[in-house]
Amino acid sequence: FNAAENLKLTLAADYFRQRQGFPLDQLLVLGAGGAGALPPPGKFKATVNADSVDTFDNRDLYGISATIDWSPNDSMAVKSISAYRDTKTAIFADDDATTLFRSHSYIAERSKTFTQEIYAHSTGHTKLDYLFGANFLYENAGQDLSDASSAGVALFPADAKSRAWAVYGEIG
């Protein structure tokens, strides 16, 4: 979208949604520990406490961004890029991929990320070439992992927040 002769705005967005049973190509080589194990018939299910439970691989991802290009005069250009991304994943898998109860995993991941970049540079219509800019990133992410086997259940939660920034410049 051209707001003016020297100002351009670009908006973009994307969305992805996946709902599927956990793929059979995740079969593990069992060796002697899998003696008597059979690949599950039909739809891929896991056996949990003698119940047959659907495995799944679910994902929801989306993002939006805005880019502003501005040329205040013939010798300078400024660009600003802002973006946001949200990611959610939930996976329940029968790790041994058989009718035996050996191991099951549940993974839930989530992430929210915001980035901002702005820079100004010469356009070649001056004797001085330059580039100045700054970047910023903020991310809030987490993961919950549980692994169940005949030995018990292990939980591995994790959360992280990140902030990063940079300022740069070049004159030539």
Side-chain angles (χ1 to χ4, degrees):
F1 169 70
N2 290 328
E5 186 176 315
N6 64 346
L7 182 63
K8 179 181 175 184
L9 173 63
T10 305
L11 300 174
D14 63 88
Y15 177 74
F16 174 78
R17 180 179 172 98
Q18 170 182 292
R19 297 290 183 267
Q20 70 178 25
F22 199 75
L24 282 173
D25 63 3
Q26 301 296 318
L27 293 173
L28 300 177
V29 177
L30 297 174
L38 300 171
K43 189 173 181 182
F44 195 47
K45 294 180 176 280
T47 303
V48 178
N49 298 327
D51 294 325
S52 185
V53 179
D54 287 341
T55 59
F56 55 85
D57 184 353
N58 298 339
R59 299 167 195 271
D60 290 291
L61 319 167
Y62 73 88
I64 56 174
S65 67
T67 303
I68 299 170
D69 290 296
W70 178 48
S71 299
N73 55 48
D74 286 343
S75 62
M76 181 168 116
V78 177
K79 180 175 273 201
S80 172
I81 304 169
S82 303
Y84 175 79
R85 178 150 297 281
D86 190 296
T87 303
K88 292 178 186 146
T89 301
I91 299 171
F92 176 67
D94 181 357
D95 297 334
D96 59 37
T98 70
T99 55
L100 298 178
F101 176 65
R102 296 282 189 226
S103 176
H104 300 98
S105 296
Y106 175 74
I107 302 168
E109 297 176 324
R110 63 212 169 278
S111 174
K112 295 180 180 188
T113 307
F114 172 77
T115 59
Q116 175 65 54
E117 176 180 347
I118 187 165
Y119 63 90
H121 64 92
S122 60
T123 60
H125 294 84
T126 65
K127 295 181 181 180
L128 183 65
D129 288 331
Y130 61 89
L131 170 67
F132 297 102
N135 296 3
F136 174 75
L137 166 112
Y138 174 78
E139 181 172 36
N140 187 357
Q143 173 182 298
D144 293 320
L145 168 64
S146 63
D147 187 48
S149 69
S150 55
V153 176
L155 302 173
F156 305 99
D159 289 303
K161 290 185 180 182
S162 299
R163 285 194 175 134
W165 57 91
V167 177
Y168 55 89
E170 180 180 320
I171 298 175

